[in-house]
Amino acid sequence: MLGKRGPQRQLFDVGNVYDLALPKRSFHAQLAEAGPGIFSDQEFATFYSTRMGRPSVPPSLLALATLMQHEAGCSDEEAVARTAYDLRWAAVLRRAAGSPLCAKSTFQCFRAHLVLHDEVRAIFECSIREAGRSGLLKGGALKIAVDTKPILGRGAVEDTYNLLGTGIQQLVRALAASGASAPEAWAKEHDLGRYFGSSLKGSADLDWSDPEARSQFLTEIVTDARRLLRLAGEAAAGLPPEKAAQVREGAELLEQLLLQDVVETTEEDGKPKAAVREGTAKGRIPSATDPEVRHGRKSKSKRFDGHKAAVATDLESQIIVDAEVLAGDAPDAAGVLEQVKRVEEATGQPVERTVGDCAYGGGATRQAFAEADRELAAKVPQEGPNGGYFPKRAFVLDLVNETVTCPGGETTGRYTRSQDGGKQFQFGACCQGCELRAHCTPAAGGRQVQVHPQEALLQRAREQQQSAEGRALLRERVVAEHRLARLGQLRIGQARYVGRQKTRFQLLMAATVANLRRVWNWEAARGGTTGAGPGAGTPASGTPARSRPCGGSLIERFRRDRVLCGGAAAWAAAKARLACWAG
C-alpha cells in the first residue's frame, strides 16, 4: 500500500537535533530546501496497491535517495547506509540519524519499478517543471540543440574465442538452472568443463602464431557449441514456459555469436572446419554478458563499445529537455524527429528550431524535418576529396532542367535513377579529347556525377551556412556540448548497469541532477529562493529560511538550561528561544 510522507517534521530529525549548517550552494542543502516540493508520493501510486498491505516507505523519499545516489555515484548498499549515517542525506530526507530509510531490496525494487514502468521520466520531467517554476525555462517556442555522447558498456568485450566460450557458459547456466543442478557439475557431465576454467584461451596449449592450430582450436569450440545447441533444443521442449524461455534466450545468443564471427565449412574428408570471419559483421555483439552493447564510432579515429546518449538541450536556459539511449552503432540522427516530439510533450511548448552538427545534416534527416514542417539547422557533411580529381562541387547542377555542367563547359542530361530517388549523370563521349580529363576522371567511360535525392535541400543548407547569420546559428549548438560535459562529470560515460533500458535510467537520473543544479544555482545567483514549490522554504538542513540561535540545537539548549537554571528558568529560556525560532 502506498505510504505517504507526513506534512510535519519529526521531532528528532537531523535538522532539529544537530545544528547542521550545510553550505548554501551545496547540492544537499539545495535539495533539502526544495525536496518537499519536487516529488509527491502520488506520482508513484501506480507501483502500489490502493488497499492491500502495509504502508510502504514513502516513494518521494526513495526518489530523493535515488537522486543522491546518482549524484554521489555510490552502490545500493552504501546509499542505504548513507540514509542512516550521512547527516547530509538524513537532512535531505528529514529523518533521524542512525536509522536507514529502507532495506536494500526495497531500494532496488523501487528502481526496478522506475525502469519497467518508465516512471523515471516522471522524475526527469520534475526537473523540467522546476526550471519552468523558477523562470529559467521561459514560455513560448523553444530552440534546442541536439548531440550524442558515447557510453561505454558494462559487459566485458571479448575476442571471438572467449566470446563463444562465454556464450556457451551462459547457455550451460540456463540449462543447469532448469534442472536445479550446479553449472560446473552439469558442464563436466556433458564434457564442457573447460568453459568454466579461469580462461578458455589461457588453458589452451597451442601455438597462437600457427594459423592451422588456431583453426583447429576454433573448430573444437564451434563443435561444442553446436552440440550444446542441440541439447538445449531437446531440453526446452519439456520445460515450463518460463524456464524454456530462458534456455531459448541463451541459445539464440549463442547462435548469433556463431553466425556473426565464424565461417563454418566442411573439408574433403567430411570433417567440419571453422575460421574467424574477416571484417566486422553489421550489428555485431562484442559482449556476451551485455548483448545490447555494439561497436560504435564517434569519429574516424574514436571507436567505442557500448551505447550512445542522445541529448536535447534548450539553447537559452541550457536545460536538458530530453535524453535517450541509442545503440552504439546507430547514426547520431536516429530518432531525432521523435526526440523533438518528446521535448514538446515534456515541456508543453513547441520547438521552433533544432540545431545539430554535421551528423544531423544528411539528406534523409533534412527530408524528414521538411515533411514534418520543422526547421533544422545543421552543417552539411563535408564532401570528400575524390582522390585528387574534380570534386562534385566543381560541377554546376541544374535541378530544374535536370542537367549537369562540368568544369570544361560540357553539359549532359543523361542519367539513370537509383532506387532511393537519386540520379547518376553520365558524360560519356563528352570526356573524349577533353583537356581536363586527367584532372577529372580515370574511368574509360567518362565522368559520372551522383545527384542526391535531397540535393535541393542540401544546396539551400550550404548557402545558409556560408552566410554570417548561418555560421552564428550553427555555433549555438555548443550548448549541447556543455551539457554533455556536465553529464560526463556525473559519470555517464560508463554504464552502471547491463542493458540499454537500465542505462537509459542512469542517463535520465544524471540529467535530472544536472537540471536541478542548473536551476538552483541560477536562482541563487539571482538572489532567489531555492524550490519555491509546496513545502519549500521550511527549515530542513541547517540552512533554514530564518536563522537559528547560535550555540546548539533547540533541544540541546533546553536540556542545558534545565540542568543549570532549574525548571522555571529553563522554561523561560525555552520560551524565549521558541519565540526567536518562530521569528
Side-chain angles (χ1 to χ4, degrees):
M1 189 167 66
L2 176 65
K4 296 185 179 181
R5 178 172 48 182
Q8 271 192 323
R9 297 182 61 188
Q10 299 179 13
L11 180 62
F12 293 101
D13 73 10
V14 166
N16 281 334
V17 176
Y18 299 98
D19 188 27
L20 184 65
L22 296 174
K24 293 184 178 181
R25 296 291 294 271
S26 69
F27 172 70
H28 296 93
Q30 292 172 336
L31 187 60
E33 188 173 350
I38 298 177
F39 307 123
S40 68
D41 296 310
Q42 199 60 36
E43 289 179 292
F44 309 98
T46 55
F47 298 173
Y48 306 92
S49 171
T50 55
R51 288 179 292 181
M52 298 179 61
R54 295 177 298 174
S56 67
V57 176
S60 59
L61 297 183
L62 290 171
L64 289 173
T66 303
L67 269 185
M68 289 188 286
Q69 180 194 27
H70 280 264
E71 191 273 339
C74 59
S75 66
D76 294 341
E77 186 173 358
E78 184 178 352
V80 172
R82 288 193 181 194
T83 62
Y85 306 115
D86 190 321
L87 296 184
R88 298 169 302 174
W89 285 46
V92 171
L93 299 173
R94 302 191 176 188
R95 292 174 48 81
S99 175
L101 174 65
C102 61
K104 184 173 76 170
S105 59
T106 302
F107 193 56
Q108 293 171 334
C109 183
F110 178 74
R111 179 176 62 239
H113 279 302
L114 292 176
V115 174
L116 292 175
H117 298 283
D118 201 25
E119 292 300 321
V120 65
R121 285 203 67 88
I123 293 181
F124 169 68
E125 289 173 5
C126 282
S127 69
I128 298 178
R129 290 198 300 271
E130 184 75 357
R133 174 205 60 76
S134 68
L136 177 59
L137 182 64
K138 297 179 173 58
L142 299 176
K143 299 176 184 178
I144 63 173
V146 291
D147 205 350
T148 63
K149 177 182 178 63
I151 303 176
L152 300 181
R154 189 66 180 174
V157 176
E158 300 171 306
D159 62 10
T160 298
Y161 302 94
N162 285 326
L163 188 64
L164 291 174
T166 305
I168 290 173
Q169 187 181 114
Q170 294 198 161
L171 182 53
V172 167
R173 292 184 185 278
L175 288 167
S178 66
S181 59
E184 292 81 358
W186 195 98
K188 290 181 179 178
E189 181 183 346
H190 294 84
D191 195 24
L192 297 169
R194 67 174 174 176
Y195 297 101
F196 283 82
S198 59
S199 172
L200 177 60
K201 290 180 69 176
S203 63
D205 184 14
L206 59 90
D207 182 6
W208 287 99
S209 63
D210 183 2
E212 193 62 32
R214 294 199 305 268
S215 177
Q216 179 60 34
F217 181 52
L218 182 61
T219 301
E220 294 174 7
I221 297 174
V222 172
T223 301
D224 288 343
R226 290 297 179 191
R227 178 166 58 89
L228 182 60
L229 286 171
R230 289 193 295 271
L231 292 174
E234 295 170 1
L239 291 175
E242 184 176 350
K243 292 185 176 181
Q246 295 176 354
V247 171
R248 290 193 185 97
E249 183 179 350
E252 289 173 2
L253 174 60
L254 181 56
E255 183 72 33
Q256 178 64 30
L257 298 178
L258 288 169
L259 290 174
Q260 72 180 15
D261 279 4
V262 179
V263 177
E264 299 179 62
T265 57
T266 304
E267 296 184 306
E268 294 180 358
D269 56 0
K271 293 183 178 180
K273 185 177 181 179
V276 177
R277 187 183 299 276
E278 294 185 4
T280 303
K282 186 178 181 180
R284 180 180 184 270
I285 301 173
S287 172
T289 53
D290 191 355
E292 293 186 343
V293 163
R294 293 293 182 270
H295 295 299
R297 187 181 290 274
K298 186 59 179 172
S299 65
K300 289 184 178 181
S301 60
K302 185 176 181 180
R303 297 182 296 176
F304 66 94
D305 298 303
H307 320 281
K308 283 183 181 178
V311 172
T313 307
D314 175 50
L315 289 176
E316 185 175 358
S317 65
Q318 298 189 26
I319 290 295
I320 299 172
V321 287
D322 187 72
E324 188 57 82
V325 174
L326 307 176
D329 58 353
D332 286 9
V336 64
L337 195 56
E338 289 73 19
Q339 186 172 46
V340 173
K341 295 176 182 177
R342 288 196 302 271
V343 170
E344 293 181 334
E345 292 175 0
T347 61
Q349 301 169 229
V351 174
E352 177 184 344
R353 178 188 297 147
T354 303
V355 184
D357 59 15
C358 62
Y360 298 85
T365 307
R366 294 184 187 279
Q367 183 67 35
F369 270 75
E371 292 175 354
D373 196 23
R374 293 183 179 276
E375 183 180 349
L376 173 66
K379 188 176 180 180
V380 178
Q382 188 174 2
E383 186 181 354
N386 195 30
Y389 296 101
F390 286 138
K392 178 180 171 182
R393 61 179 177 271
F395 293 75
V396 178
L397 309 182
D398 188 344
L399 302 180
V400 177
N401 298 312
E402 295 186 326
T403 61
V404 175
T405 302
C406 73
E410 297 290 342
T411 300
T412 180
R414 293 192 307 111
Y415 64 84
T416 57
R417 191 181 295 273
S418 58
Q419 292 183 352
D420 62 357
K423 299 173 184 177
Q424 186 87 11
F425 283 83
Q426 297 97 15
F427 282 87
C430 298
C431 296
Q432 300 296 330
C434 180
E435 297 178 354
L436 300 177
R437 179 167 183 166
H439 303 284
C440 189
T441 178
R447 179 63 184 261
Q448 295 183 351
V449 176
Q450 179 73 37
V451 176
H452 201 276
Q454 291 85 32
E455 191 66 43
L457 293 173
L458 295 173
Q459 283 187 356
R460 287 198 294 269
R462 288 191 185 98
E463 292 175 0
Q464 183 182 18
Q465 71 189 32
Q466 290 173 359
S467 65
E469 181 182 357
R471 291 194 298 271
L473 177 61
L474 293 177
R475 286 196 297 271
E476 292 181 358
R477 57 166 295 277
V478 73
V479 170
E481 295 181 352
H482 293 165
R483 291 294 88 192
L484 288 176
R486 176 66 178 121
L487 292 176
Q489 293 174 347
L490 294 168
R491 297 165 293 278
I492 200 58
Q494 172 69 63
R496 283 177 60 103
Y497 312 104
V498 171
R500 201 169 300 148
Q501 189 173 8
K502 292 181 180 179
T503 303
R504 175 176 174 269
F505 163 77
Q506 177 190 352
L507 173 61
L508 288 171
M509 292 303 299
T512 302
V513 173
N515 280 349
L516 292 176
R517 286 287 279 165
R518 166 72 180 149
V519 171
W520 296 336
N521 288 339
W522 179 80
E523 283 189 304
R526 297 175 68 247
T529 303
T530 299
T538 55
S541 62
T543 54
R546 299 182 177 90
S547 300
R548 291 185 177 186
C550 299
S553 69
L554 183 64
I555 293 175
E556 292 296 323
R557 303 186 85 199
F558 177 80
R559 291 171 179 167
R560 186 174 59 204
D561 287 346
R562 183 177 181 182
V563 173
L564 295 177
C565 305
W571 176 242
K575 287 197 295 181
R577 287 178 172 78
L578 282 173
C580 179
W581 172 265

